[in-house]
Amino acid sequence: MADAGSTAGETRTHLHGIVETLKSQIVTYALPLWSSEGWDSRAGGFIEKLDAHGTPDTSAPRRVRVQARQIYCFAKAAQLGWYPQGAEIARKGLDYMLAKAKAPDGKPGFVHILAPDGSVLNPLRDTYDHAFVLLALATVYQLDRDAKVRAEIDELMQFIDTQLRSPDGGYLEGVPASMPRRQNPQMHLLEAFIAAFDATHDLAFQARAGDLFGLFTSNLFDAKKGVLGEYFEQDWSRIEPVSVEPGHQAEWVWLLKGFERITGCPTGKQRAALLESALRYRDATGCLVDEGDAQGNIVKATRRCWPQTEIIKAFVAQAETGVEGAADEARAALMRLDKYYLQHPVKGGWYDQFDGEGRSLVDAIPASSFYHILCAIAEAERVLGA
């Protein structure tokens, strides 16, 4: 039997190779799986989910946000040199999304849900969806600066600026507007604005990001309690009791680092507070649970895949800033992601959610998780190296 010292040494060795291990899984299995089984070769468009055996569910309705996320994944993989053929797949996905989801009823903006045959199931113009459409367009634009893609970005921003901006600050939930207001669409618009600034160097995106940072500091984040609210009234006052999603707290850590990078505005204090607070909501595995309250108690002991990717990105952001121990924490979080979520019988698939006892709650493999997983591993490689 190996002694404790050698076991610890093996763990450290694996810890430092985890980024390369997971990158290899993405390149060898996930990207080929989702570009083949994950694409509808008959009707076009990305498949919403695979079943537990990896068979595509061709009957599932298609959320436009998932189409956009998959476009992002393949464009990003091509940009990184991980999967050169991803550029063609991303453009194919973009052509489908523009043909089917953009203004099919003659009204501006993108619809919410498509049927498998490409017809409209839900014509809502959802702000969260439009954030991902912008992210997809920005990432494709970075590939070759196609003027047609830039024109789509400008047209989309015309819709976002004129139809989705709220007189109370931030952006509406969609068209038609609904309540309650949520931080989630604001967060993903910030992500998209940062990506669009990186792609275009247009200062208007920097300014839009600044507006959302102002909303974050004044309303979304409670600095005294160290928690990010999820639901708000029309005037951005918090709805009590405050629901806390630790995955979103971690996601904001990474986004604030991106905002600091493009503006020079310091965000270290907020990032440290958000991360410290997020880490209160962990179970015995070390994984983040799905929901807590403002006092740090766990409300929902289930744990989805995506919060684990966001805590990776949070620690990566802190490591990039030079915070002591953050790099090792990021690698440990990658190990947990691999151990609990990526060891699926379908190579290139993942488990989506577990209950408090560690039992899988979702049979299907949702395409929507790919964006989270690929981004976390890409960020880890960029900052930590392989």
Side-chain angles (χ1 to χ4, degrees):
M1 186 176 74
D3 61 35
S6 64
T7 302
E10 289 166 6
T11 301
R12 278 195 298 274
T13 300
H14 187 41
L15 192 69
H16 283 277
I18 189 63
V19 178
E20 182 59 36
T21 297
L22 295 191
K23 174 188 168 183
S24 179
Q25 286 183 30
I26 292 289
V27 172
T28 306
Y29 301 115
L31 287 159
L33 174 69
W34 292 98
S35 62
S36 56
E37 298 302 315
W39 176 263
D40 188 336
S41 57
R42 183 183 59 83
F46 290 107
I47 296 289
E48 180 80 15
K49 58 186 176 180
L50 309 178
D51 72 13
H53 306 289
T55 303
D57 183 349
T58 55
S59 66
R62 296 178 183 173
R63 293 174 292 171
V64 170
R65 69 184 61 170
V66 174
Q67 298 298 311
R69 285 182 176 196
Q70 295 298 78
I71 293 164
Y72 160 84
C73 285
F74 286 100
K76 184 74 172 177
Q79 185 190 115
L80 294 170
W82 291 8
Y83 200 65
Q85 59 268 51
E88 181 184 349
I89 298 162
R91 291 191 187 95
K92 185 169 65 170
L94 180 58
D95 288 345
Y96 172 86
M97 186 172 71
L98 291 173
K100 302 296 185 182
K102 180 187 173 187
D105 50 8
K107 300 174 184 177
F110 288 74
V111 298
H112 185 41
I113 301 175
L114 299 171
D117 66 1
S119 60
V120 178
L121 280 183
N122 187 334
L124 169 71
R125 268 54 171 177
D126 182 78
T127 300
Y128 185 108
D129 293 346
H130 285 76
F132 279 103
V133 172
L134 178 57
L135 180 66
L137 287 168
T139 312
V140 172
Y141 183 67
Q142 279 195 300
L143 291 174
D144 58 7
R145 302 293 191 273
D146 186 327
K148 291 180 181 178
V149 177
R150 179 59 206 261
E152 292 291 349
I153 291 174
D154 292 341
E155 188 176 345
L156 176 62
M157 285 314 308
Q158 173 70 12
F159 174 75
I160 291 174
D161 286 341
T162 61
Q163 303 297 310
L164 297 179
R165 284 300 298 252
S166 167
D168 299 288
Y171 296 81
L172 304 170
E173 287 290 307
V175 179
S178 62
M179 292 294 290
R181 306 191 75 170
R182 297 174 300 152
Q183 73 78 27
N184 206 5
Q186 320 301 317
M187 177 182 74
H188 284 296
L189 278 170
L190 175 61
E191 176 185 24
F193 293 158
I194 293 169
F197 176 78
D198 285 336
T200 65
H201 306 296
D202 184 339
L203 293 177
F205 288 111
Q206 193 183 62
R208 293 180 183 106
D211 289 343
L212 286 176
F213 177 69
L215 180 67
F216 169 83
T217 55
S218 62
N219 296 89
L220 304 183
F221 181 57
D222 184 338
K224 290 181 180 177
K225 293 181 179 177
V227 295
L228 174 76
E230 289 290 334
Y231 303 104
F232 299 84
E233 303 288 0
Q234 184 65 37
D235 63 357
W236 290 110
S237 57
R238 294 178 195 86
I239 294 177
E240 300 286 350
V242 172
S243 169
V244 178
E245 293 194 28
H248 286 153
Q249 300 213 140
E251 199 162 358
W252 271 97
V253 175
W254 177 69
L255 286 170
L256 291 177
K257 180 65 177 69
F259 177 74
E260 182 176 299
R261 174 177 55 77
I262 69 166
T263 63
C265 176
T267 61
K269 185 177 179 181
Q270 294 99 325
R271 284 186 281 118
L274 279 166
L275 182 54
E276 180 182 2
S277 179
L279 293 174
R280 298 185 296 173
Y281 307 95
R282 290 180 290 180
D283 66 9
T285 67
C287 292
L288 292 184
V289 299
D290 288 339
E291 186 183 349
D293 65 19
Q295 289 70 47
N297 302 304
I298 291 174
V299 173
K300 288 184 182 175
T302 53
R303 48 179 173 86
R304 292 195 64 193
C305 176
W306 71 263
Q308 320 319 321
T309 67
E310 299 311 319
I311 199 68
I312 292 164
K313 288 158 61 180
F315 279 122
V316 165
Q318 297 299 78
E320 190 173 17
T321 313
V323 173
E324 186 176 353
D328 283 343
E329 290 284 4
R331 292 187 179 97
L334 284 161
M335 295 269 285
R336 288 192 293 272
L337 177 68
D338 186 32
K339 178 180 179 180
Y340 295 109
Y341 296 88
L342 302 186
Q343 296 299 315
H344 196 281
V346 176
K347 297 282 192 182
W350 37 77
Y351 293 101
D352 181 62
Q353 189 181 41
F354 294 98
D355 67 13
E357 304 301 317
R359 293 176 293 237
S360 176
L361 293 174
V362 181
D363 288 336
I365 309 170
S368 57
S369 299
F370 197 17
Y371 142 83
H372 290 285
I373 294 166
L374 184 140
C375 185
I377 296 167
E379 281 293 278
E381 185 190 48
R382 181 181 66 83
V383 175
L384 308 178

